[in-house]
Amino acid sequence: MRCSRRGLLKGGALVAAGSFMPAFARRALAAQEVVAPRRKTLVFLFLRGALDGLHAVTPVDDPRFQQLRPQLALRPADLLDLCLPGFNLHPSLAGLLPLWKACSLAFVHAVGSPDPTRSHFDAQDYLELGTPGVKGTSDGWLARALGETEIDEPGPLDAVAVSPRLPRALQGADDALAFASLDQLRLHPLAGAPRGQKGRDQARAVFEGLYGALPDDEAVATSGRQAFAALDLLEKKLSSAAAKSTVEYPNGPIANSLKPLAQLIKGDVGLRVGCADAGGWDTHVAQAGTLNGNLKQLGDSLAAFMLDLGPRAEDVVLVAATEFGRTARQNGTGGTDHGHASVALVLGGGVQGGRIHGAFPGLRDDQLYEGRDLAVTTDLRSVLAAAAAAQLDATDLAELFPGFSGEPLAGLFT
């Protein structure tokens, strides 16, 4: 087996070492000397493609809904009773009912951006940057939230995204990592080597053999040894009994993103922010079938995530939001088009759940935005600001959302 230093560092023996070394190693190694305190964690789940909030949380007392969607609208009797006047829940979200009844899940209706764009690309950028209408912002809102507060005893991993690349919301955050799976944070064996601990030992031996006899590469060798020590520590945390999951998650991208975040949180790696993406919400055609499946995956995945967290759920808040909503009227192809306001889901510890926050503006023609969409009555930044304050102690709104003159949504958290 031939292996060069360059190939080893770029390949499987030391995954992504260059992207998070040496800061990651220093923090990981330092964490061995102290017992890291339990951290609050904010998880942001981006529902990309524009979720139809009217379909998810339906205004059953507004007669215009049935008129605007004669084929798409479900009968009130087919919806799930939320035990409060005005709204019922889509049946595919049945997995969320226990969280709702336990008052750990809230909805914020008619939520969105003040920017009028109907472009997915622009609206997604504006949400992640936290500056509607301004695409030149250099860092993301979550990066700014993390930068507001200093942690006395930082853990190995401060912020992660379960994604092939770092999302714009985390751009500018020190030591934020993106990975497609937890395997990318572990010691991988070299190609052809046995899997498991034997393979990891072989990878380490090859690496140390390369650098042990090369005094001129001492700095790189030291960095490499630190990297292996850091990844060893992470491996132990992720393999601990406390971190392992016994919960059955559904199959699908949402669950595949949330399950590793739960493992990191339970593994006490110091996680403060976790990001996940879920596409497929752009329902121009044949909306009913697509949205039914997506909503079921969303509800069941969130339920599994909270169950998996167990007692740690009290330390976690998850916000699921989308870039904009759908038109109030159905279109001619059994779907809906790009709209304005939607719904956000907020669940976890400290959430004032079992209620719908925000003001619902109504669906009469004179109440619709531009005569076609549910109007925004709650700026999504108010929801994100409340969550950032509750979980990250980020309270400087001028820093968090430049140009925003609003306030954190009152009453969303205890």
Side-chain angles (χ1 to χ4, degrees):
M1 179 189 304
R2 293 191 63 184
C3 183
S4 68
R5 293 191 299 269
R6 181 183 300 273
L8 188 65
L9 286 170
K10 290 180 64 177
L14 188 57
V15 176
S19 66
F20 58 82
M21 285 294 295
F24 170 79
R26 288 200 303 269
R27 289 167 55 178
L29 295 173
Q32 295 183 95
E33 308 301 325
V34 297
V35 178
R38 280 178 58 161
R39 300 243 185 262
K40 287 187 175 183
T41 306
L42 175 58
V43 176
F44 181 62
L45 174 60
F46 198 160
L47 307 177
R48 295 183 187 270
L51 162 68
D52 185 356
L54 290 171
H55 208 67
V57 183
T58 301
V60 290
D61 287 352
D62 195 319
R64 283 285 287 158
F65 186 66
Q66 294 281 341
Q67 298 169 17
L68 293 167
R69 300 185 175 189
Q71 283 77 46
L72 281 182
L74 298 180
R75 298 179 306 160
D78 294 330
L79 297 166
L80 301 176
D81 187 4
L82 290 176
C83 298
L84 80 171
F87 297 91
N88 282 354
L89 190 65
H90 192 280
S92 295
L93 290 171
L96 295 179
L97 271 184
L99 296 171
W100 175 265
K101 293 177 180 178
C103 294
S104 58
L105 165 67
F107 298 107
V108 185
H109 222 316
V111 69
S113 169
D115 189 86
T117 185
R118 300 182 191 277
S119 162
H120 291 298
F121 304 105
D122 288 346
Q124 289 177 16
D125 282 348
Y126 295 155
L127 193 164
E128 293 197 89
L129 296 174
T131 52
V134 180
K135 295 188 73 172
T137 309
S138 61
D139 51 6
W141 76 272
L142 279 170
R144 295 192 296 272
L146 286 165
E148 263 200 57
T149 54
E150 294 186 2
I151 300 299
D152 292 335
E153 298 172 358
L157 293 177
D158 198 40
V160 301
V162 186
S163 172
R165 62 188 61 86
L166 198 67
R168 296 200 73 176
L170 277 175
Q171 287 182 6
D174 293 339
D175 304 321
L177 297 178
F179 56 87
S181 72
L182 281 184
D183 282 345
Q184 290 183 305
L185 291 179
R186 291 176 148 154
L187 286 173
H188 286 235
L190 300 172
R195 297 183 64 83
Q197 185 60 46
K198 185 176 180 180
R200 291 192 292 272
D201 290 344
Q202 182 173 322
R204 181 184 290 101
V206 172
F207 185 91
E208 291 175 347
L210 282 170
Y211 287 103
L214 296 173
D216 58 318
D217 283 332
E218 181 58 32
V220 180
T222 299
S223 179
R225 286 191 292 270
Q226 287 180 325
F228 272 115
L231 290 172
D232 264 341
L233 174 64
L234 184 61
E235 185 75 28
K236 291 175 184 177
K237 286 179 174 289
L238 295 180
S239 301
S240 68
K244 289 182 179 179
S245 173
T246 59
V247 173
E248 184 176 353
Y249 282 78
N251 292 322
I254 301 177
N256 292 342
S257 295
L258 294 179
K259 185 175 181 179
L261 289 179
Q263 193 169 351
L264 289 170
I265 292 168
K266 294 187 299 177
D268 285 324
V269 299
L271 191 67
R272 299 170 65 205
V273 166
C275 287
D277 281 4
W281 302 94
D282 198 15
T283 50
H284 290 281
V285 179
Q287 172 172 300
T290 300
L291 198 53
N292 290 355
N294 285 353
L295 290 175
K296 179 168 177 54
Q297 183 190 155
L298 176 64
D300 292 352
S301 299
L302 291 176
F305 176 67
M306 297 305 288
L307 180 63
D308 193 6
L309 289 175
R312 295 301 297 270
E314 287 299 312
D315 302 324
V316 178
V317 164
L318 182 146
V319 178
T322 192
E323 67 263 33
F324 48 66
R326 317 295 302 181
T327 50
R329 291 177 179 83
Q330 66 181 57
N331 61 26
T333 57
T336 53
D337 298 318
H338 297 178
H340 201 42
S342 185
V343 69
L345 293 75
V346 186
L347 61 157
V351 175
Q352 291 272 42
R355 64 183 71 180
I356 294 178
H357 298 261
F360 191 79
L363 298 175
R364 293 196 318 264
D365 286 347
D366 63 326
Q367 295 170 325
L368 294 176
Y369 175 74
E370 296 184 343
R372 53 173 277 170
D373 306 324
L374 181 66
V376 171
T377 59
T378 299
D379 193 311
L380 180 56
R381 289 173 294 180
S382 293
V383 178
L384 302 179
Q391 296 302 103
L392 304 174
D393 294 324
T395 57
D396 186 345
L397 275 182
E399 170 68 22
L400 188 60
F401 295 116
F404 180 45
S405 59
E407 296 288 340
L409 183 58
L412 186 56
F413 294 93
T414 56

